[in-house]
């Protein structure tokens, strides 16, 4: 398919419209620059830290963002803004009346506008948080797939939107962007626009020449519409004049570093360079003579990304063209720091204008003292008409709020699972979902599962067989049609409820991030469940963190975990993941040993994921088959994080505390110890994370003068102060060793501190000192301390 070219220059919008957009462009530049200046130079500093902000990165995107937010975007479109264009975003929101002056004045201060757009901390209209470069770009692709998912199932009645990423060119260095592109291609991605601010500068330096060639090659090979936005109208007109073709070639072949340096140096330097290189070319002298230095600088920096008419024509042509749904990448040439004294300077990323420079810029913007925050000061348009334009004609302001919501999906009192005598938590997980899949509850209809090529090996097979793969188009199971016997039935259609991903774990977390925001973005509640092997949580960790940072809601099922998957070897054995689970905010992590616990946790989780003050879940499961107890279970204690499996005697000297799949070793050690240490307790921990959270919460409540006792305090108060604790888990020992700090008990903590290796369980547990002997040994030592 041909790439869309910009429409004929000069089309579309009338003079009044363009004049208003130019006025807003001017104000967006002024306000974004000023809010950074105010934060750094005018707001008193109490700690001597540089506040920062990105005046150059912001200036680079002002024209593109003006065109998008005040003209091109529709309310149903969703935008991820390049992190360091946050000031422009807030300035635009301020001009729309959706951001307060107070928050602008407090940019980067407590309670003020955030450094990088934040869905949770900013009060203006942020669709996706950004900050860790690359992730905001990629999440838009997954959001588009989620939009298809909910619309094709009739779960959302919202108009179809376009998912737009405003991308810094250096963000394209992040591999996760390309991973997402590949996944998008597989899923027939539509309605995604990635607009690259091609200022050819990153943080440290100017980027390699012609970087756009491999970048656009990637997009083209994956069937994206690639639109190069290179020159503005002034330059395009100059190219038609005598000598124009030579001028175009000169710019086309000008190294990025030289072009940037000349942008910084200005008109006289441009003149000198052009005389040196093209002085004898017919027509060039005439062009130079008819431009003074200021005009020449303006001409030579007239790149498409700063030329409103070109930008508008390009975007509208793409939005209304025959390929409107096809994913599109726009490479918009810009100058970093455009219009500011350090434009083009290679060190401008963290550069800030000084007081004199700001005074000059203020005069240039026509702003009088005291009018700095006035939204419409210094403009030569009819301000009343501009206000009318903003409230009545800008599509983005047409709805009072763009944040959507969705009702609560009821969760039954208990989740059914048929527990066999011996089974693993991973098997139990598969069975809980399989039971749900058989029924026709609303809960089951809102669950969407996803997995990076480990669907079957994480026990999602039964669920997928019943609920099917999600595919925008009918996909037949050829193996089934060919009568090849297989336990897996993998046909796909728009009603399917499992999204199969390639191996890239980053994509799993970005998919979960997007699915878990569906209620906010598309008004349709989904209950996403993602599975992967526990060690590979680390492969997607930044995206995992990112999903939680945005307050996305999902259930992560990480299985198998720990050294307990023994023969698989050290590369697959996770050690630090319990600490990741504890350390990440907005996440409750659990590591149940038994399936009855797991069913309770999953039930609670489906409700917790929907509560305004709730969060996401991380279930660390195992493939180790354990003998399953048949018993009444205190569900509340399981959710709080622990319960007494064998309560201690009032004068007990010792308690064993375990979490997860090492339960049999602990039970065996406990039985052996009872002869020598009668009354020893045995505490089952289902969630070190929840116990710790509860402890912190109780301490905070007491500090605030309330009466509060944490579950972990209540549990450990059953022990005398002199009792010893021995903790054990298949993960880093510090996940449980902190329990000694709750009431000051002496503690010996067993766990995994070195990389494992292939072995069977007895050998590996013995080598890593996790077996019953090691526990008894640790008990003997700690009792002597
Ligand atoms: C994952 C990650 N690594 C590093 C950074 C620090 N950082 C912030 S901006 C930036 C360079 C961005 O350059 P570009 O995307 O071209 O944006 P520009 O400022 O040129 O618009 C870097 C390295 C970050 N925010 N995220
Ligand atoms: Mg850049």
């Amino acid at each position: 398919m041909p790439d869309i070219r910009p429409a004929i220059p000069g089309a579309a919008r009338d003079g009044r419209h363009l004049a208003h957009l130019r006025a807003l462009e001017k104000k967006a530049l002024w306000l974004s620059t000023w809010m950074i200046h105010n934060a750094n130079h005018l707001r008193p500093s109490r700690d001597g830290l540089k506040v920062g902000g990105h005046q150059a990165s912001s200036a680079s995107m002002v024209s593109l963002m003006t065109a998008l937010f005040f003209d091109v975007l529709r309310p149903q479109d969703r935008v991820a803004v390049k992190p360091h264009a946050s000031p422009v975003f807030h300035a635009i929101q301020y001009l729309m009346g959706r951001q307060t002056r107070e928050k602008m004045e407090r940019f980067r201060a407590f309670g003020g506008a955030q450094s990088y757009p934040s869905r949770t901390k900013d009060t203006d209209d942020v669709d996706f948080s950004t900050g860790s470069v690359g992730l905001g770009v990629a999440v838009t692709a997954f959001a588009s797939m989620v939009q298809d998912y909910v619309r094709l199932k009739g779960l959302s009645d919202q108009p179809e939107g376009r998912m737009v990423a405003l991308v810094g060119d250096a963000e394209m260095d992040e591999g996760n962007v390309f991973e997402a592109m590949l996944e998008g291609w597989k899923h027939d991605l539509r309605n995604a626009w990635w607009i690259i601010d091609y200022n050819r500068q990153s943080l440290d330096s100017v980027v390699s020449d012609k970087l756009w060639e491999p970048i656009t090659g990637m997009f083209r090979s994956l069937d994206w519409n690639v639109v190069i936005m290179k020159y503005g109208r002034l330059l395009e007109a100059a190219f038609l004049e005598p000598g124009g073709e030579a001028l175009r070639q000169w710019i086309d072949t000008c190294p990025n570093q030289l072009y940037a340096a000349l942008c910084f140096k200005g008109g006289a330097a441009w003149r000198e360079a052009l005389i040196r290189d093209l002085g004898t070319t017919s027509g060039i002298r005439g062009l130079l003579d008819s431009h003074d230095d200021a005009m020449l600088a303006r001409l030579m920096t007239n790149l498409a990304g700063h030329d409103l008419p070109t930008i508008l024509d390009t975007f509208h042509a793409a939005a209304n063209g025959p390929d409107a749904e096809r994913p599109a990448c726009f490479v918009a040439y810009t100058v970093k720091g455009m219009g500011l004294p350090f434009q083009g300077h290679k060190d401008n990323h963290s550069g800030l204008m000084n007081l004199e420079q700001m005074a000059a810029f203020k005069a240039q913007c026509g702003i009088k003292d005291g009018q700095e925050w006035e939204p419409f000061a210094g403009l030569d348009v009819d301000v009343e008409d501009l206000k009318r334009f903003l409230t009545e004609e800008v599509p983005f302001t047409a709805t009072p709020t763009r944040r959507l919501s969705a009702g609560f999906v009821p969760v039954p009192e208990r989740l059914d699972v048929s527990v066999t005598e011996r089974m693993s938590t991973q098997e139990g997980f598969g069975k809980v979902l399989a039971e749900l899949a058989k029924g026709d509850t609303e809960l089951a209809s809102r669950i969407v599962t996803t997995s990076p090529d480990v669907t079957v090996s994480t026990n999602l097979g039964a669920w997928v067989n019943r609920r099917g793969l999600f595919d925008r188009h009918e996909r037949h199971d050829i193996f089934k049609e060919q009568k090849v016997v297989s336990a897996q039935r993998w046909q796909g259609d728009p009603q399917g409820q499992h999204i199969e991903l390639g191996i890239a774990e980053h994509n799993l977390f970005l998919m979960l991030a997007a699915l878990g925001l569906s209620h906010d973005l598309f008004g349709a509640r989904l209950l996403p469940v993602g599975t992967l092997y526990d060690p590979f949580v680390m492969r997607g960790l930044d995206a995992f963190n990112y999903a939680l940072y945005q307050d996305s809601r999902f259930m992560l099922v990480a299985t198998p975990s720990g050294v307990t998957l023994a023969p698989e070897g050290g590369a697959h054995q996770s050690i630090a993941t319990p600490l990741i689970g504890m350390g990440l905010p907005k996440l409750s992590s659990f590591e149940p040993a038994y399936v009855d616990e797991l069913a309770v946790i999953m039930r609670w989780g489906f409700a917790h994921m929907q509560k305004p003050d709730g969060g996401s879940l991380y279930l660390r499961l195992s493939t180790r088959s354990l003998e399953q107890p048949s018993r009444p279970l205190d569900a509340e204690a399981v959710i709080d994080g622990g319960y007494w499996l064998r309560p201690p005697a009032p004068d007990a000297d010792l308690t064993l505390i375990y979490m997860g799949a090492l339960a049999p070793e602990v039970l065996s050690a406990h039985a052996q110890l009872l002869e020598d240490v009668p009354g020893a307790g045995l505490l089952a921990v289902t969630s070190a994370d929840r116990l710790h959270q509860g402890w912190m919460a109780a301490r905070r409540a007491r500090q605030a003068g309330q009466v509060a006792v944490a579950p972990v305090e209540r549990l450990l108060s059953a022990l005398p102060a002199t009792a010893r604790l021995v903790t054990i888990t298949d993960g880093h020992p510090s996940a449980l060793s902190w329990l000694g700090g709750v009431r000051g008990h002496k503690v010996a903590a067993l766990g995994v501190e070195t990389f494992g290796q292939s072995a069977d369980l007895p050998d590996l547990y013995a080598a890593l000192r996790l077996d019953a002997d090691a526990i008894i040994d640790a008990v003997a030592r700690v009792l002597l301390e």
Side-chain angles (χ1 to χ4, degrees):
M1 265 186 267
D3 297 337
I4 293 176
R5 294 278 158 216
I8 302 124
R13 328 218 82 63
D14 64 17
R16 166 183 169 269
H17 191 99
L18 196 57
H20 283 329
L21 291 179
R22 283 199 201 287
L24 293 165
E25 177 190 37
K26 190 172 161 189
K27 293 309 303 185
L29 178 62
W30 163 255
L31 286 166
S32 56
T33 310
W34 175 252
M35 72 194 282
I36 299 169
H37 183 79
N38 176 70
N40 284 275
H41 293 289
L42 307 181
R43 207 167 60 211
S45 168
R46 296 187 300 175
D47 51 16
L49 290 180
K50 179 185 159 183
V51 179
H54 299 92
Q55 286 175 330
S57 303
S58 293
S60 189
M61 281 231 92
V62 162
S63 311
L64 289 162
M65 288 174 69
T66 301
L68 287 164
F69 282 89
F70 293 116
D71 183 295
V72 179
L73 296 177
R74 305 151 304 166
Q76 64 268 33
D77 297 331
R78 301 282 173 187
V79 197
V81 176
K82 177 183 85 166
H84 20 294
S86 178
V88 186
F89 172 79
H90 293 306
I92 286 173
Q93 295 289 314
Y94 183 59
L95 291 165
M96 286 179 175
R98 295 187 170 188
Q99 177 59 294
T100 65
R101 172 170 167 177
E102 193 201 357
K103 287 190 185 285
M104 298 283 283
E105 290 190 47
R106 294 191 57 72
F107 173 58
R108 291 190 164 223
F110 190 71
Q114 297 297 298
S115 340
Y116 308 112
S118 164
R119 284 174 50 79
T120 54
K121 291 292 185 301
D122 276 318
T123 47
D124 46 4
D125 202 12
V126 178
D127 291 325
F128 300 102
S129 303
T130 55
S132 176
V133 299
L135 297 179
V137 185
V139 82
T140 57
F142 293 97
S144 180
M145 296 179 221
V146 172
Q147 178 178 240
D148 281 344
Y149 183 94
V150 294
R151 283 177 57 80
L152 286 167
K153 288 188 170 58
L155 299 175
S156 167
D157 55 4
Q158 298 297 313
E160 189 170 66
R162 194 171 276 124
M163 305 297 120
V164 180
L166 308 181
V167 186
D169 47 353
E171 293 196 72
M172 298 305 296
D173 284 338
E174 292 285 1
N176 83 272
V177 174
F178 297 99
E179 293 175 2
M181 282 166 68
L182 270 181
E183 202 58 57
W185 184 85
K186 293 183 219 163
H187 291 271
D188 193 17
L189 173 67
R190 311 173 314 137
N191 294 317
W193 273 12
W194 289 359
I195 300 164
I196 302 179
D197 174 8
Y198 193 48
N199 58 28
R200 301 168 310 288
Q201 284 186 248
S202 58
L203 194 161
D204 283 337
S205 58
V206 177
V207 303
S208 316
D209 286 320
K210 298 207 174 170
L211 186 62
W212 59 272
E213 282 185 359
I215 289 178
T216 54
M218 278 292 284
F219 280 102
R220 287 201 175 98
S221 74
L222 293 169
D223 214 12
W224 284 56
N225 182 18
V226 176
V227 184
I228 308 285
M229 302 166 66
K230 191 157 189 187
Y231 296 118
R233 272 157 205 247
L234 295 178
L235 274 172
E236 291 286 4
F239 295 154
L240 299 176
E241 298 292 319
E245 202 38 51
L247 180 67
R248 180 202 290 274
Q249 273 182 24
W250 185 88
I251 304 180
D252 277 348
T253 52
C254 184
N256 287 342
Q257 297 218 28
L258 178 60
Y259 185 87
L262 293 173
C263 284
F264 174 70
K265 289 171 80 175
W270 284 114
R271 189 177 302 279
E272 199 185 313
L274 288 171
I275 291 174
R276 186 186 61 228
D277 293 347
L278 296 181
T280 57
T281 306
S282 149
I284 291 294
R285 283 284 172 175
L287 181 136
L288 293 176
D289 290 348
S290 61
H291 288 74
D292 65 16
D293 282 354
M295 285 167 72
L296 186 61
R298 188 159 167 245
L299 174 69
M300 296 301 287
T301 55
N302 178 238
L303 300 180
H306 299 301
D307 193 63
L308 276 179
T310 306
I311 298 171
L312 292 168
D313 285 351
T314 310
F315 288 152
H316 284 293
N320 300 309
D323 278 347
E325 279 187 2
R326 192 174 156 206
C329 158
F330 300 85
V331 181
Y333 276 71
T334 54
V335 175
K336 191 156 172 171
M338 181 67 176
L340 305 181
F342 39 51
Q343 69 176 22
H345 195 292
K346 71 183 177 65
D347 305 333
N348 64 10
H349 186 83
S350 44
L352 295 171
M353 285 158 73
N354 62 28
L355 295 176
E356 295 79 58
Q357 288 171 327
M358 185 45 98
F361 182 57
K362 186 167 139 184
Q364 186 191 321
C365 293
I367 312 276
K368 300 198 181 66
D369 284 347
Q371 288 190 334
E372 293 86 352
W373 296 107
E374 289 302 318
F376 306 111
L379 293 178
D380 52 9
V381 294
D382 175 346
V383 168
E384 287 312 309
D385 192 36
L386 177 60
K387 287 185 190 164
R388 231 182 348 262
F389 170 76
L390 274 171
T391 50
E392 291 170 19
E393 294 172 51
V394 171
F396 232 45
T397 57
T399 46
T401 173
R402 295 171 58 256
R403 222 9 111 90
L404 303 171
S405 60
F408 195 90
V409 175
V411 180
E413 275 301 300
R414 45 177 292 131
L415 296 182
D416 291 332
V417 54
S418 59
V419 182
T420 50
E421 204 176 314
R422 291 186 69 85
M423 68 195 293
S424 68
T425 45
Q426 173 172 317
E427 222 180 316
F429 161 70
K431 289 202 164 170
V432 170
L433 276 190
E435 282 299 324
L436 278 167
K438 282 186 213 157
D440 64 351
T441 56
E442 196 184 346
L443 173 67
S445 75
R446 298 302 176 121
I447 291 175
V448 47
T449 56
T450 182
S451 182
D453 204 22
V454 289
T455 297
V456 176
S457 47
T458 54
N459 271 53
L460 274 177
W463 163 267
V464 178
N465 282 346
R466 282 210 175 250
R467 294 282 166 162
L469 289 180
F470 171 70
D471 200 302
R472 288 210 311 111
H473 315 280
E474 293 278 328
R475 192 211 294 187
H476 298 280
D477 184 343
I478 309 261
F479 281 94
K480 190 175 162 206
E481 287 171 6
Q482 292 292 326
K483 301 196 170 33
V484 176
V485 178
S486 164
Q488 316 305 331
R489 290 188 294 281
W490 282 55
Q491 65 251 27
D493 62 35
Q495 296 313 312
Q497 285 181 252
H498 174 75
I499 304 178
E500 180 70 8
L501 299 172
I503 302 177
E505 282 76 14
H506 242 91
N507 283 339
L508 168 74
F509 287 104
L510 289 173
M511 179 57 95
L512 289 173
L515 288 166
L517 290 175
S518 171
H519 51 289
D520 260 18
L521 297 177
F522 309 118
R525 172 77 63 185
L526 294 178
L527 295 165
V529 177
T531 67
L532 87 172
Y533 295 173
D534 194 53
F536 306 130
V537 161
M538 311 245 220
R539 287 300 297 270
L541 191 51
D542 192 21
F544 189 5
N545 183 71
Y546 176 65
L548 297 168
Y549 178 71
Q550 305 212 63
D551 200 16
S552 171
R553 302 299 179 83
F554 53 90
M555 184 181 286
L556 181 74
V557 178
T559 180
S561 61
V563 298
T564 297
L565 51 86
E568 277 286 303
H572 278 56
Q573 294 166 351
S574 59
I575 299 169
T577 47
L579 304 181
I580 290 172
M582 290 182 79
L584 288 173
K586 290 300 255 178
L587 182 71
S588 296
S589 50
F590 292 86
E591 186 169 349
Y594 299 110
V595 174
D596 57 354
E597 298 166 351
L598 175 71
V600 163
I601 292 164
M602 287 179 70
R603 193 215 78 88
W604 178 83
F606 286 128
H608 184 66
M609 284 156 69
Q610 303 186 57
K611 293 189 173 148
D613 60 348
S616 291
L617 273 87
Y618 173 1
L619 313 185
R620 190 174 188 253
L621 305 185
S622 175
T623 39
R624 185 181 187 193
S625 245
L626 302 188
E627 200 177 313
Q628 297 293 317
S630 168
R631 57 183 174 171
L633 188 63
D634 180 348
E636 203 179 323
V638 168
I639 299 307
D640 286 343
Y643 60 91
W644 285 109
L645 197 60
R646 308 272 187 276
D651 57 350
D653 291 331
L654 174 77
T655 270
L656 302 185
I657 304 178
Y658 78 94
M659 178 165 72
L662 290 170
E665 282 63 36
V666 182
L667 283 167
S668 153
H670 186 259
Q672 294 176 50
L673 283 165
L674 279 180
E675 286 174 22
D676 295 332
V677 199
L682 178 51
L683 185 67
V685 173
T686 47
S687 170
D689 185 24
R690 295 270 305 166
L691 283 180
H692 194 268
Q693 280 175 29
W695 183 34
M696 294 295 111
R699 293 185 71 97
R700 275 194 303 275
R702 290 196 290 265
Q703 263 165 13
Q706 295 156 16
V707 179
V709 182
V712 69
E713 291 168 329
R714 203 173 301 119
L715 285 168
L716 295 181
S717 69
L719 294 167
T722 51
R724 307 295 201 253
L725 315 182
V726 173
T727 66
I728 178 158
T729 188
D730 182 356
H732 196 269
S734 61
L736 292 180
S737 63
W738 60 271
L739 287 165
V742 176
R743 295 181 58 83
H745 290 114
K746 285 221 162 100
V747 60
L750 305 188
V752 184
E753 292 174 89
T754 58
F755 287 115
Q757 56 187 299
S758 299
D760 67 3
L761 282 182
D763 277 349
L764 202 56
Y765 286 169
L768 295 170
R769 307 292 297 141
L770 297 171
D771 58 5
D773 284 352
I775 297 170
I776 291 167
D777 196 39
V779 166
R781 286 165 192 278
V782 79
L783 285 176
L784 294 176
E785 278 180 20

